[in-house]
Amino acid sequence: MNDNALIRVENMKTYFDTDEGELRAVDGVDFHIEPGEVFALVGESGCGKSVTAYTIMKILPCPPGRIAAGRVLFEGKDLLRYSEKQMQRVRGAQISMIFQEPMTSLNPVFTCGAQISEAIRLHRRLGAKAAKAEAIDMLARVGITEPRQCHDAYPHQLSGGMRQRVMIAAALSCRPRMLIADEPTTALDVTTQAQILSLIRTLQAQQNMSVLLITHDLGVVAETADRVAVMYASKVVETAETQMLFKAPLHPYTQGLFDAVPRLGRHHERLPAIAGTVPRPWQFPSGCKFHTRCPLTREKARQGRETQQIITESGPTKVLTRCASAEPPLQRIHTGHQCACWEAPGYAAE
Amino acid sequence: MNPTRQPSAPAAQPEQSPSRGRSLWGDAWLRIRRDKGALVCLVVIACYVLIAVISPFVFADWNTTYDYNNRNLPPSWAHPFGTDALGRSVLHKTFLGAHVSMNVAFMANIIAIPLGLVLGAVAGYRGRRTDDLIVWFYTTLASIPGIILLIAIKFAFEGKILFEHTWFALDLNGMAGVYLALGSIGWIGTCRLVRAEVMKIKELDYVVAAKACGRSDAAVLLRHIFPNVFHIGIINFSLGFVGAISAEVILSFLNLGVHDLPSWGKMINEARMDLVVGRWWELTAAVGATFIIVLAWNIIGDRLRDALDPRLKNV
Amino acid sequence: MDTLLSIKNMKTWFPIRTGLFKPTRYLRAVDGVEFDIPKGRTLGLVGESGSGKTTVGRTILRLVPAHAGRVRFDGTDLLTLGDRQMLPFRRRMQIIFQDPMLSLNPRMTVASIIAEPLLVHTSLSRRERKARIAELLSQVGMQPDYMRRYPHEFSGGQRQRIGIARALASNPDFIVCDEPVSALDVSVQAQILNLMNDLQDQMGLTFLFIAHNLAVVEYFSDEVAVMYQGKILERADRDELYANPLHPYTQTLFSAIPRMTVEKRKAPPADPGEPPTFAARAQGCAYHPRCHQAQSQCRTTPPELTHVADNHWVRCWK
């Protein structure tokens, strides 16, 4: 274990107490992010990727949320043990966050400039004048052509892309060590998305900052990230360097995701969809949570190993008993590539 | 939670059981049932309703019974809340007050809530001129302080009887006047809320889908819009009770309320002089009765809002 | 091939209420759109938010009033019909929505949601209706006994299937698909696209497929039109457009798509700014403030849609 990691998440478990019972939104997630690295957390809705980010920032609504276990080591110190007061000094100053919908995360009654200056004055203890100058400078750095006008504008006067730029300016105004970007481009148009992504990359390199990028879009990952973790049903099922993952995904879920996305120039074939639907958190299957939808276990089951029958949405199917009964832990396959699948090539089962 | 909640292998999706789905109404009812505070309030309200219904029959001869030997007695076993200036039991008086209060509040809401629902839905759905008209109407009404408006309406009702000589004659001097007055201004809040909600709902895709398959405006309103704002009516019905009960008390206190029957407002009015000479029981009984029912309705209103409002779900 | 839907110079302007005595101003959401869709084919309509693509679909279905133009459906101009005359056409035209959370009435069971078009357009008995609903549900890959459940008990993909079943209920010829997969998870997107493809093959449906994702549009469409600020900037057969995009805007759109490979791309996407708001609509070509090839002509005179190659139309001076 190399410990120059900026942040290290260990066995994080975040549960919600709901009417329907306990909802395990994040159920034992491990990853680390190195300084100056863009790390992407990919997954479909409800897989727990956003809750992971919220837990790191400790901005979950508690209750119903509850951090049940785990450690979040930021520069060696466990954020989960921090008091709310200590956390406030971390948020915005050392770890910042930007959200999907800049319209709702900017306060409509303050000017953009005021919202940026607020963070600067709070964390860097600058005077009003200096903070304003700094805010305008920040706006210019996020590629806004008329920073002075923008400083005095209200959020609703700006377009979606501009608002996202303002959000980024506010988040980066205190030179944080890490930026958490929760679906930063999902609400934006393609052309704007491309600009925002390249802006995040540029600023990240300039400030030598780490980025935790949360997205459902593999295209965004390919554009931006150095390393990726794929989440499914509250767990990380595969993590790898982006290059490796895109060249040779190991987990059948990751492979399924790659195949299911329509790509330019591939319109003649029928889309190979992943069968079934994403299980809801209080209805997670036993064993490997993907086994109800997994094409690999079905294929292997046909080769005459120990199998059992399960009922899926599309009728009864045979799967491997091991997949249905035991959950595979995340394991190193080769350097920089980890996977949680019993049947993945190179997965050493004890 | 207990770990048994996670289904064991094989992973059948519980969704597959061919059972009946649970509607949002069913969901809400379940929440209310699970909520102890709400249940207690429901029981309290049920008791009040029972008393309100029974007491006029039990104390039918109220206006003619006097007992000058037992005037102004403090609470005792025979008279748990003491007696009043005419020697009648304050407990019985309070019960009869419940009859007036509950009746007035119920009738006022029966008038106000449907009025608010319909006007709000029409204003929100039709938009433009219709909307302008209704909004103008209720902003005008709302710009006059409520209590002054009530007093004015009551004065206008003085000595009038609607539908005289028919079986449904309404004596505007009595209870009918009070609830008509309350009902005619009580719809504004509901109307406002419903109008805003309808304006949002009518842009939603399921309404567009209904129009796209050729549904008439009336059908869209009845099938798609009304069921989705109806909960506002229910919530406001319970919260409206609070306002109506207090308003009745105030009107009676000002001598503009019900004349022939005792009410909590009248009791407070009559008893305020008594306090100086140390006769606290009549005032206490009336205030206590009002306080408990207002509290119960308030809590129920809030719990209903939590249970029914879809916006608060899935947080 | 015969044309099912033919649109000429369609304009949808929304009046902006400014005050009693001020002249009415208009927001030109759709400003002179024309295209044809042959029977059984799919036209993909691509554009960014605010380009007016959704309004095009809703104007065709007469859910918003058109300001001018002609919408010929199977030979009849829909814009001249009264509400009553429109009713038989409503049976034949349906719509599928983007957000499955908002497109199903939360207070109705699945059965009564799908029954809506049946109630309006057919005279089926209660029993027959139930049988038809069951048939529709299995057609979209769901179990018939889901019909007594409520929308909130289903996942996004399942809800979208219910929405599709509703659209199919009246046996339509033409369906407007308004971003049908963009709110869905990736693994579910493919299922829904496949389902819609199968249904088109089985039932000979004609689609207007509105989307912002060029890859999805390529997968699904026979012909593609690119919209920008209420106008069509380029229209061509799919293979032609994807092989040979001519309009600078189309080119920008293509270059902005995130690639699914990790090989470094040659040139970073070039796009100099944010799309202007409706209020600040420019003179001349609508795209010129963002266009890196703009000339003086572009700033003064708006170009017309011109025919450049076999069924390839471009609205650009170059």
Side-chain angles (χ1 to χ4, degrees), chain B residues 167-197:
Chain B
W167 60 270
F168 51 89
L170 286 174
D171 179 6
L172 296 186
N173 285 312
M175 219 148 56
V178 179
Y179 63 66
L180 276 177
L182 283 171
S184 60
I185 60 169
W187 55 274
I188 296 171
T190 313
C191 182
R192 256 196 202 129
L193 283 175
V194 169
R195 172 177 169 268
E197 195 64 22

Coordinates of all heavy atoms in Angstrom, one line a residue, chain B residues 167-197:
Chain B
W167 N -88.2 23.6 4.0 CA -87.7 22.7 5.0 C -86.2 23.0 5.2 O -85.6 22.7 6.2 CB -87.9 21.3 4.7 CG -87.3 20.8 3.4 CD1 -87.9 20.8 2.2 CD2 -86.0 20.3 3.2 NE1 -87.1 20.4 1.2 CE2 -85.9 20.0 1.8 CE3 -84.9 20.0 4.1 CZ2 -84.7 19.5 1.3 CZ3 -83.8 19.5 3.5 CH2 -83.7 19.3 2.1
F168 N -85.5 23.6 4.2 CA -84.1 23.9 4.5 C -83.9 25.3 4.8 O -82.8 25.9 4.4 CB -83.3 23.4 3.3 CG -83.7 23.9 1.9 CD1 -83.3 25.0 1.4 CD2 -84.6 23.1 1.2 CE1 -83.7 25.5 0.2 CE2 -85.0 23.5 -0.1 CZ -84.6 24.7 -0.6
A169 N -84.8 25.9 5.4 CA -84.6 27.3 5.8 C -83.3 27.6 6.6 O -83.0 26.8 7.5 CB -85.8 27.8 6.6
L170 N -82.6 28.6 6.3 CA -81.4 28.9 7.0 C -81.5 30.2 7.7 O -81.6 31.2 7.1 CB -80.2 29.0 6.0 CG -79.7 27.7 5.3 CD1 -78.7 28.0 4.3 CD2 -79.1 26.8 6.4
D171 N -81.4 30.1 9.0 CA -81.5 31.3 9.8 C -80.1 31.9 9.9 O -79.3 31.4 10.6 CB -82.1 30.9 11.2 CG -82.2 32.1 12.1 OD1 -81.9 33.3 11.5 OD2 -82.5 32.0 13.3
L172 N -80.0 33.0 9.2 CA -78.6 33.6 9.2 C -78.2 34.2 10.5 O -77.1 34.7 10.7 CB -78.5 34.6 8.1 CG -78.6 34.0 6.7 CD1 -78.4 35.0 5.6 CD2 -77.7 32.8 6.5
N173 N -79.2 34.4 11.4 CA -78.8 34.9 12.8 C -78.1 33.9 13.6 O -77.3 34.2 14.4 CB -80.1 35.3 13.5 CG -80.7 36.5 13.0 OD1 -80.0 37.5 12.8 ND2 -82.0 36.5 12.6
G174 N -78.4 32.6 13.3 CA -77.8 31.6 14.1 C -76.5 31.0 13.6 O -75.7 31.7 13.0
M175 N -76.4 29.7 13.8 CA -75.2 29.0 13.4 C -75.0 29.1 11.9 O -73.8 29.3 11.4 CB -75.4 27.5 13.7 CG -74.1 26.9 14.3 SD -74.4 25.7 15.5 CE -75.4 24.5 14.7
A176 N -76.0 29.0 11.1 CA -75.9 29.1 9.6 C -75.2 30.3 9.2 O -74.3 30.3 8.3 CB -77.2 29.0 8.9
G177 N -75.5 31.4 9.8 CA -74.9 32.7 9.5 C -73.4 32.6 9.7 O -72.6 33.1 8.9
V178 N -73.0 32.0 10.8 CA -71.6 31.9 11.2 C -70.8 31.1 10.2 O -69.8 31.5 9.7 CB -71.4 31.4 12.6 CG1 -69.9 31.3 13.0 CG2 -72.1 32.2 13.6
Y179 N -71.4 29.9 9.9 CA -70.6 29.1 9.0 C -70.6 29.6 7.5 O -69.6 29.4 6.8 CB -70.9 27.6 9.1 CG -72.2 27.0 8.8 CD1 -72.7 27.1 7.5 CD2 -73.0 26.4 9.8 CE1 -74.0 26.5 7.3 CE2 -74.2 25.9 9.6 CZ -74.7 25.9 8.3 OH -76.0 25.4 8.0
L180 N -71.7 30.2 7.1 CA -71.7 30.8 5.8 C -70.7 31.9 5.7 O -69.9 32.0 4.7 CB -73.1 31.3 5.4 CG -74.1 30.3 4.9 CD1 -75.5 30.9 4.7 CD2 -73.6 29.7 3.6
A181 N -70.6 32.7 6.7 CA -69.6 33.8 6.7 C -68.2 33.2 6.7 O -67.4 33.7 5.9 CB -69.8 34.7 7.9
L182 N -68.0 32.2 7.5 CA -66.6 31.6 7.6 C -66.3 30.9 6.2 O -65.2 31.1 5.7 CB -66.5 30.6 8.7 CG -66.4 31.2 10.1 CD1 -66.5 30.1 11.1 CD2 -65.0 31.9 10.2
G183 N -67.3 30.2 5.7 CA -67.1 29.5 4.5 C -66.8 30.4 3.3 O -66.0 30.1 2.4
S184 N -67.5 31.5 3.3 CA -67.3 32.4 2.1 C -66.0 33.1 2.1 O -65.6 33.7 1.0 CB -68.5 33.4 2.1 OG -68.4 34.2 3.3
I185 N -65.2 33.1 3.2 CA -63.9 33.7 3.0 C -62.8 32.6 3.3 O -61.6 32.9 3.0 CB -63.6 34.9 4.0 CG1 -63.8 34.5 5.4 CG2 -64.6 36.0 3.6 CD1 -63.4 35.5 6.4
G186 N -63.2 31.4 3.7 CA -62.2 30.4 4.1 C -61.6 29.7 2.9 O -60.6 29.0 3.1
W187 N -62.1 29.9 1.7 CA -61.6 29.1 0.5 C -60.3 29.7 -0.1 O -59.7 29.1 -0.9 CB -62.7 29.1 -0.5 CG -63.2 30.4 -1.0 CD1 -64.2 31.1 -0.4 CD2 -62.7 31.2 -2.1 NE1 -64.3 32.3 -1.1 CE2 -63.4 32.4 -2.1 CE3 -61.7 31.0 -3.0 CZ2 -63.2 33.4 -3.1 CZ3 -61.5 32.0 -4.0 CH2 -62.2 33.2 -4.0
I188 N -59.9 30.9 0.3 CA -58.9 31.6 -0.4 C -57.6 30.9 -0.4 O -56.9 30.7 -1.4 CB -58.7 33.0 0.2 CG1 -60.0 33.8 -0.1 CG2 -57.5 33.7 -0.5 CD1 -60.0 35.2 0.6
G189 N -57.2 30.4 0.8 CA -55.9 29.7 1.0 C -55.8 28.5 0.1 O -54.9 28.2 -0.6
T190 N -56.9 27.7 0.2 CA -57.0 26.4 -0.6 C -56.9 26.8 -2.1 O -56.1 26.2 -2.9 CB -58.3 25.7 -0.4 OG1 -58.5 25.6 1.0 CG2 -58.3 24.3 -1.0
C191 N -57.6 27.8 -2.5 CA -57.7 28.2 -3.9 C -56.3 28.5 -4.4 O -55.8 28.1 -5.5 CB -58.6 29.3 -4.1 SG -58.8 29.9 -5.8
R192 N -55.6 29.3 -3.6 CA -54.2 29.7 -4.0 C -53.3 28.6 -4.2 O -52.6 28.4 -5.2 CB -53.6 30.6 -2.8 CG -53.6 32.0 -3.2 CD -52.7 32.7 -2.2 NE -53.1 34.1 -2.2 CZ -53.4 34.8 -1.1 NH1 -53.2 34.2 0.1 NH2 -53.7 36.0 -1.2
L193 N -53.3 27.7 -3.2 CA -52.4 26.5 -3.3 C -52.8 25.6 -4.5 O -51.9 25.2 -5.2 CB -52.6 25.7 -2.0 CG -51.8 26.2 -0.8 CD1 -52.2 25.3 0.4 CD2 -50.3 26.2 -1.0
V194 N -54.1 25.4 -4.6 CA -54.5 24.5 -5.7 C -54.2 25.1 -7.1 O -53.7 24.4 -8.0 CB -56.0 24.2 -5.6 CG1 -56.5 23.5 -6.8 CG2 -56.3 23.3 -4.4
R195 N -54.4 26.4 -7.2 CA -54.1 27.1 -8.5 C -52.6 26.9 -8.8 O -52.3 26.5 -10.0 CB -54.5 28.5 -8.4 CG -54.0 29.3 -9.5 CD -54.4 30.8 -9.4 NE -53.8 31.6 -10.4 CZ -52.6 32.2 -10.3 NH1 -52.0 32.1 -9.1 NH2 -52.1 32.9 -11.3
A196 N -51.8 27.1 -7.9 CA -50.3 27.0 -8.2 C -50.0 25.6 -8.5 O -49.2 25.4 -9.5 CB -49.5 27.5 -6.9
E197 N -50.5 24.6 -7.8 CA -50.2 23.2 -8.1 C -50.7 22.8 -9.4 O -50.0 22.1 -10.2 CB -50.9 22.4 -7.0 CG -50.4 21.0 -6.9 CD -48.9 20.8 -6.5 OE1 -48.3 21.8 -5.9 OE2 -48.3 19.8 -6.8

